[in-house]
Amino acid sequence: LWAYAAGFSSSLSMLIFKYLSPVDEECNVYDSHSSLCGWTYCGSVLLFSAIVIPLSLMEIAEQQFLQLLLTTYRFAAFGVMLITAIVSLSIKGPMSGHAPTSELLGARFSGFGLMFPTAVYAFNVQYNLPDSLTPTRNKKSLLRVAGAAQTTSLVFYVLIGTICAILFNPPE
């Protein structure tokens, strides 16, 4: 939960500074020494807490509408990312990137340190899968349902990762 709080709060702080703040500076909570940036981050943590704590006290069945809404949003966000990356790749081609530092069978491992924790984090958000599967009436289909959910996630992440790797760091 702390990772979600940190991600939400740092992103919201950055957006507030970028679009709403009269101060002409960036708010990167990890680099900034601005007290206003720190207070914005703390306020964002409080906002996240005000939203998440009541939701965590609810049963999964009580969150049905919210979960459906958020699932629709996730698919729409993945769709927008895929479509914009594909359109940009087809119109402009690959963007200029840094030269690879190491290659083995055409793969560049210089970005592995950034990719691996992101991939682990992305698949780790499925931790509440048992709570989601508990209300299922037909228990024989649980393996198929869980497998389909993980496969869908894997397909989206591989598509986005592959297309964005070509778009933002083209082969030379």
Side-chain angles (χ1 to χ4, degrees):
L1 190 57
W2 184 250
Y4 290 120
F8 173 86
S9 301
S10 62
S11 297
L12 184 60
S13 299
M14 181 192 69
L15 290 172
I16 287 172
F17 262 71
K18 185 171 186 170
Y19 296 110
L20 299 177
S21 175
V23 180
D24 189 27
E25 64 180 77
E26 286 190 16
C27 178
N28 181 348
V29 295
Y30 306 108
D31 291 339
S32 180
H33 300 292
S34 165
S35 63
L36 183 59
C37 179
W39 282 108
T40 305
Y41 179 79
C42 290
S44 299
V45 170
L46 287 174
L47 176 63
F48 180 81
S49 300
I51 295 169
V52 169
I53 290 173
L55 288 175
S56 66
L57 298 174
M58 296 170 64
E59 295 293 327
I60 195 83
E62 296 173 322
Q63 299 177 11
Q64 184 176 3
F65 175 74
L66 179 64
Q67 294 296 332
L68 183 62
L69 182 71
L70 292 175
T71 299
T72 304
Y73 171 77
R74 278 189 292 273
F75 277 105
F78 276 120
V80 167
M81 286 188 279
L82 279 172
I83 290 169
T84 55
I86 291 170
V87 167
S88 179
L89 191 60
S90 64
I91 292 175
K92 297 180 181 178
M95 297 179 181
S96 62
H98 302 290
T101 56
S102 64
E103 284 192 33
L104 176 65
L105 302 174
R108 294 181 215 163
F109 292 96
S110 59
F112 183 78
L114 179 62
M115 182 277 307
F116 186 72
T118 305
V120 169
Y121 178 77
F123 272 98
N124 194 32
V125 299
Q126 312 279 339
Y127 71 92
N128 63 351
L129 199 56
D131 291 337
S132 302
L133 296 176
T134 301
T136 305
R137 289 187 181 104
N138 184 3
K139 301 294 185 193
K140 292 179 182 179
S141 66
L142 288 181
L143 183 60
R144 190 184 61 201
V145 170
Q150 293 292 355
T151 303
T152 303
S153 298
L154 178 67
V155 166
F156 271 105
Y157 285 122
V158 166
L159 278 173
I160 289 173
T162 304
I163 291 169
C164 289
I166 294 168
L167 178 65
F168 294 116
N169 201 7
E172 294 186 15

